[in-house]
Amino acid sequence: MKKIVVFAAILGSFGTLKAQKQEGIIDFEQKINMHKRMTDESMKAMIPEFRTTQHQLFFNANESVYKLLEKEDDDDEEMGGGGVKIKLTMPKNELYRNFTTQKKIDLKEMLGKKYLINDTLQTMAWKLGTESKKIKGFECMKATMVNNETQKTIVAWFTPEISCPSGPEIYGTLPGMILEVNVNDGEIVYTANKITFAKLKPNDLKQPTEGKLISPEAFKKMIDDFRANNGSGIKIMRN
């Protein structure tokens, strides 16, 4: 109840908001600092410091789907010295959220296989701040949280002017759309580059169905095992 009252107060504090937007597409840029995640200096020398990809968020007042924007000219390869070819791969994940039923379905790719993870949507432990700034013409407020597992700080900027409580990747459950996220002081940054309000096509908010059903716990264990065996999404091939 306290959280609901706080959110209502925030919305009220904006006074006269623009007419709330209910449906459309947001283009996000995801920028990963690859070097910040590595301790091996020889690996750093073989790959670019930043990995930038484009994603789209389809949304209405109650649902959203976030997925990779595929381009024909995408090139996932970078060459290193000594006959070493570095291939950076980006999984074609799809993240579906239903904020009315509190349901989420994640389609995630791993090692060429697709997995479906059904779970309940949980409210994230955001702490609301008093700072504000404009992003793409929308007044945004600051919220922060700490990932209990990694202890990384996450900063989000959201706007009540877009009523859907969604955002890029896994981030959401704030009283408005998240337009920017900064994980661990620049390790990963998500930025809204374009916001289009329009009637969506019937399949734009389609729940993903392709893939092997797996529990969140089993998928997490698979990821942890993969990382423990030097998995990083980077394939190294020697000529």
Side-chain angles (χ1 to χ4, degrees), residues 30-133:
Q30 174 186 298
K31 189 174 184 179
I32 302 175
N33 188 327
M34 304 294 290
H35 289 190
K36 197 165 185 177
R37 294 178 159 191
M38 297 177 179
T39 56
D40 189 330
E41 293 299 324
S42 62
M43 282 291 291
K44 288 182 181 180
M46 289 189 289
I47 68 169
E49 183 176 2
F50 294 100
R51 170 69 168 157
T52 302
T53 51
Q54 308 300 320
H55 303 254
Q56 286 187 316
L57 178 71
F58 299 81
F59 71 93
N60 62 23
N62 304 309
E63 298 174 279
S64 69
V65 172
Y66 184 78
K67 54 185 165 183
L68 179 71
L69 178 60
E70 298 183 64
K71 295 183 180 179
E72 292 182 2
D73 58 351
D74 277 349
D75 186 356
D76 287 335
E77 294 186 356
E78 291 286 342
M79 295 298 296
V84 177
K85 181 187 291 184
I86 303 296
K87 181 163 184 160
L88 306 177
T89 60
M90 191 70 191
K92 298 175 179 64
N93 299 336
E94 290 187 26
L95 308 180
Y96 170 82
R97 302 290 183 264
N98 189 310
F99 300 99
T100 300
T101 62
Q102 295 297 296
K103 175 183 180 181
K104 68 176 182 177
I105 303 174
D106 292 350
L107 186 159
K108 295 194 175 183
E109 281 191 347
M110 182 176 175
L111 300 178
K113 295 182 180 179
K114 294 182 178 180
Y115 298 91
L116 276 179
I117 308 163
N118 295 338
D119 203 358
T120 302
L121 188 61
Q122 303 292 332
T123 300
M124 294 182 155
W126 296 107
K127 292 184 179 179
L128 304 177
T130 58
E131 298 176 57
S132 65
K133 69 176 181 178

Side-chain angles (χ1 to χ4, degrees), residues 195-215:
I195 303 173
T196 306
F197 297 103
K199 183 71 176 175
L200 297 178
K201 299 175 183 177
N203 285 336
D204 285 341
L205 290 173
K206 182 180 178 182
Q207 299 180 21
T209 56
E210 184 183 359
K212 178 183 177 182
L213 284 172
I214 188 172
S215 70

